[in-house]
């Protein structure tokens, strides 16, 4: 999830005008286009295409659908393509959007995989990739920092402890994800529930 | 697991992982690293970091790092199997759930659960950053590059692609 996902889900701007639902090919092509434009995160492009450009959904409908995908497991934008496509054109629309989102970049990725298998040990490519990796990790740190900012501002000890606990268990102790989440998710939901009741009371 | 068909291992591994990948693809990176490098020895630490870099640099959802892992295990069929296993089950789940609750905002539980998941997914992403930094930042220059990119990307809205290309150029020139 990129920081853009939060901001993209927030600005309500356009009036509730609808274009007629697109055909399956149009859905496939639209998702293929937003996927290929999306370097380091597709969501911003998805919202632009669906709400602003094609007007297939209003900003509110987009936000509702995105909130649902945000809260379900799996790659958010992939879930989004399936849910969007199916709301517009049934299950066939879902498959068209899903395929459009995934097929072109997967083909590109396979070509890159073949190139890497052939030339991955070539010194110049090795060095360049090493530099790109360093920058990519820096970008990830920046995303984490941006997402963390509202939590740090609120200085909620329980929330920060949960975040640090998961970080330590996975990043430092290298425990398996399933085991950590099996404990952390119910714990966090329970604590959030209790905190909200205390605030309400 | 080792004497099984590798395609089946890929499908069961990533299919299961996707169902636990709350918080998106970046949150699943530590688990992918653990499975691919530590458990199954499909890739080295270095190859995993390269795969992450390639997935960041290319267009499309960043979850497609699984395509590269799948290719390393079993070629093109492996790449396709890993991609579909990671993406299809949760997409179908999302489809069915969205039909069940057309308006998730009516109950307060979805909002509460979402709020509860936020610190966990940030913790997971921070763990991804640490694990990847441990395999890429082995020199002072590399560490500096990562730190510089982190600062620039935190305070400005520069297109991330430029920062990745700058890193590539520095690597190409042999500086990091």
């Amino acid at each position: 999830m990129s920081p853009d996902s939060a901001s993209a889900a927030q600005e309500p701007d356009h009036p509730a005008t609808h274009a007629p639902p697109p055909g399956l090919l149009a859905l496939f092509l639209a998702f293929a286009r937003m996927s290929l434009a999306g370097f380091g995160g597709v969501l911003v492009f998805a919202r632009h295409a669906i709400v602003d450009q094609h007007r297939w959904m209003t900003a509110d409908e987009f936000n509702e659908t995105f909130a649902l995908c945000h809260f379900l497991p799996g790659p958010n934008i992939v879930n989004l393509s399936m849910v969007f496509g199916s709301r517009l054109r049934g299950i066939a629309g879902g498959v068209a959007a899903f395929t459009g989102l995934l097929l072109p970049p997967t083909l590109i990725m396979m070509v890159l995989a073949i190139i890497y298998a052939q030339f991955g040990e070539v010194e110049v490519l090795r060095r360049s990739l090493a530099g790109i990796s360093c920058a990519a990790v820096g970008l990830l740190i920046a995303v984490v920092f941006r997402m963390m900012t509202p939590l740090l501002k609120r200085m909620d000890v329980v929330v920060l402890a949960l975040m640090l606990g998961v970080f330590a268990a996975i990043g430092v102790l290298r425990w398996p994800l399933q085991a950590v989440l099996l404990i952390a998710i119910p714990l966090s939901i329970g604590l959030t529930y209790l905190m909200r009741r205390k605030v309400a009371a | 697991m080792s004497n099984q068909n590798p395609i089946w291992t890929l499908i069961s591994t990533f299919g299961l992982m996707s169902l636990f990948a709350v918080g998106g693809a970046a949150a699943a990176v530590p688990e992918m690293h653990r499975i691919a490098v530590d458990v199954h020895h499909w890739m080295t630490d270095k190859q995993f970091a390269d795969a992450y870099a390639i997935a960041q640099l290319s267009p499309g959802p960043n979850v497609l790092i699984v395509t590269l892992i799948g290719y390393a295990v079993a070629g093109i069929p492996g790449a396709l199997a890993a991609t579909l296993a990671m993406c299809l089950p949760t997409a179908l789940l999302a489809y069915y759930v969205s039909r069940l609750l057309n308006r998730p905002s009516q109950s307060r539980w979805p909002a509460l659960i979402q709020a509860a998941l936020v610190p966990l997914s940030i913790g997971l992403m921070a763990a991804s950053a640490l694990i990847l930094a441990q395999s890429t930042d082995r020199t002072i220059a590399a560490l500096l590059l990562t730190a510089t990119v982190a600062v620039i990307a935190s305070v400005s809205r520069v297109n991330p692609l430029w920062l990745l290309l700058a890193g590539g150029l520095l690597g190409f020139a042999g500086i990091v």
Side-chain angles (χ1 to χ4, degrees), chain A residues 161-191:
Chain A
L162 279 166
M163 186 178 75
L164 276 178
V166 169
F167 170 73
I170 302 277
V172 182
L173 302 170
R174 304 282 176 104
W175 289 347
L177 180 72
Q178 279 88 338
V180 174
L181 289 187
L182 222 53
I183 296 171
I185 291 179
L187 185 70
S188 182
I189 291 175
L191 288 173

Side-chain angles (χ1 to χ4, degrees), chain B residues 16-37:
Chain B
L16 188 68
M17 187 188 298
S18 71
L19 295 176
F20 286 91
V22 180
V29 165
E31 183 66 3
M32 290 181 192
H33 180 275
R34 200 182 68 84
I35 297 270
V37 178

Side-chain angles (χ1 to χ4, degrees), chain B residues 118-136:
Chain B
V118 167
L120 308 185
S121 72
I122 297 176
L124 279 176
M125 288 171 66
S128 310
L130 177 70
I131 288 172
L132 287 164
Q134 280 170 348
S135 64
T136 57

Side-chain angles (χ1 to χ4, degrees), chain A residues 4-5 7-14 34 42-55 57-60 62-63 77 80 84:
Chain A
D4 312 318
S5 40
S7 57
Q10 271 165 10
E11 6 161 338
D13 37 24
H14 284 283
M34 63 184 86
V42 177
L43 191 100
V44 181
F45 298 92
R47 186 185 178 282
H48 175 76
I50 292 167
V51 179
D52 302 330
Q53 193 186 342
H54 296 295
R55 307 211 170 193
M57 282 190 167
T58 65
D60 283 336
F62 184 94
N63 287 356
I77 190 71
L80 198 81
F84 263 121

